[in-house]
Amino acid sequence: MAELHFFTGTMDSGKSTLALQTNHNHAARGRVGRIFTTHDRAGTATLSSRLGLTHEAIEVPDGFDFWKYVVDSLTQGGRIDYLICDEAQFYSAAQIDQLAKVVDELQIDVFAFGILTDFRSSLFPGSARLVELADRMNVLQVEALCWCGKRATHNARTENGVMVTDGDVVVVGDVAEEADPEPARVAYEVLCRQHHRRRLTAERAKAVSLAPEPLPFG
Ligand SMILES: Nc1ncnc2c1ncn2[C@@H]1O[C@H](COP(=O)(O)OP(=O)(O)O)[C@@H](O)[C@H]1O
Ligand SMILES: Cc1cn([C@H]2C[C@H](O)[C@@H](COP(=O)(O)O)O2)c(=O)[nH]c1=O
């Protein structure tokens, strides 16, 4: 039986790497798939992993219809055994419904990968629908870590180094490297819930710990 799988984790938890590995393993056994993504950091129609692997992909624009794409391909004599869908948080709820229909009506496996919540810790519409519809939901086993060492569960956005909670939901970007001499104006940092709630990023924690301690008054 075909299934709708949803693999989720914070940014930088290995989702795109797993998407490419999943494709590799299925293709190695002669199965024929299609790879989809949208708004990948590496550019249009590309699925990229921070481990350095990239693969050509089909870009999913607004209004793209997965059901129509698959039916049209099969009607024209194409073969499709599975779909790989990266950055699925950006898909619309209607597109996730189409993916579920592809699984149920055409017996094609769908492997979707994406983050659950945005920088405000609200569910992305695509991820919310995946949680509602997926046959299996898997949280990535490689844990991204907060600066405090706890498992990171939230994605924070920083602007010029300061964590923000207002702005557009979709802003393509990357997690900042601590040693980066020229940090991006908009960047992301994964945090545990407590430090996301307190807006305590690594940089702010360092500044607080370096601040002179108040003198004890007797
Ligand atoms: N230089 C490196 N050496 C080993 N592992 C790395 C390196 N750079 C990145 N990684 C691994 O790649 C993961 C990020 O993979 P990626 O597929 O791009 O994540 P996601 O799609 O979830 O944002 C990191 O969590 C880390 O495990
Ligand atoms: C939290 C958050 C993230 N994004 C963007 C930033 C990246 O381009 C992708 C996530 O990619 P990854 O492969 O999981 O690292 O999403 C965004 O647009 N809005 C957000 O709130």
Side-chain angles (χ1 to χ4, degrees):
M1 288 293 279
E3 287 188 324
L4 174 58
H5 302 256
F6 180 34
F7 294 88
T8 190
T10 58
M11 288 180 68
D12 205 21
S13 59
K15 301 178 300 299
S16 298
T17 306
L18 184 61
L20 292 171
Q21 289 172 318
T22 303
N23 177 60
H24 177 85
N25 289 352
H26 284 261
R29 291 299 183 199
R31 301 189 82 211
V32 179
R34 298 284 189 282
I35 301 180
F36 295 92
T37 191
T38 185
H39 299 310
D40 190 286
R41 279 181 308 278
T44 309
T46 305
L47 194 169
S48 71
S49 134
R50 290 184 184 80
L51 277 180
L53 290 172
T54 60
H55 200 295
E56 197 181 301
I58 300 163
E59 184 75 17
V60 178
D62 290 349
F64 180 86
D65 188 330
F66 283 99
W67 173 257
K68 185 173 179 325
Y69 173 90
V70 172
V71 169
D72 285 353
S73 301
L74 297 177
T75 309
Q76 287 160 24
R79 175 178 161 192
I80 304 181
D81 299 315
Y82 65 92
L83 306 182
I84 302 283
C85 297
D86 200 23
E87 306 291 354
Q89 71 274 5
F90 296 141
Y91 299 3
S92 66
Q95 286 170 331
I96 304 299
D97 283 19
Q98 292 155 14
L99 290 173
K101 190 170 167 187
V102 165
V103 173
D104 294 342
E105 308 302 331
L106 301 171
Q107 291 302 308
I108 290 174
D109 283 309
V110 174
F111 302 95
F113 303 81
I115 52 179
L116 210 47
T117 54
D118 64 22
F119 70 115
R120 308 160 307 176
S121 61
S122 298
L123 286 166
F124 280 95
S127 307
R129 197 67 186 134
L130 275 162
V131 171
E132 288 163 352
L133 294 186
D135 294 295
R136 285 169 200 268
M137 187 168 147
N138 309 278
V139 178
L140 269 276
Q141 284 185 0
V142 178
E143 296 179 348
L145 300 179
C146 179
W147 57 265
C148 68
K150 270 172 72 174
R151 185 165 76 90
T153 47
H154 287 66
N155 306 294
R157 182 184 292 162
T158 58
E159 283 180 14
N160 300 314
V162 178
M163 182 174 154
V164 294
T165 51
D166 282 324
D168 293 342
V169 171
V170 180
V171 177
V172 175
D174 206 349
V175 285
E177 294 285 334
E178 232 173 279
D180 195 342
E182 267 188 59
R185 197 184 74 76
V186 176
Y188 290 91
E189 179 175 341
V190 294
L191 296 173
C192 67
R193 185 187 58 237
Q194 187 185 40
H195 290 138
H196 191 275
R197 272 186 32 246
R198 294 181 178 179
R199 299 189 185 200
L200 205 48
T201 59
E203 197 173 297
R204 220 184 116 218
K206 205 190 295 174
V208 168
S209 75
L210 290 176
E213 286 199 32
L215 290 172
F217 291 100

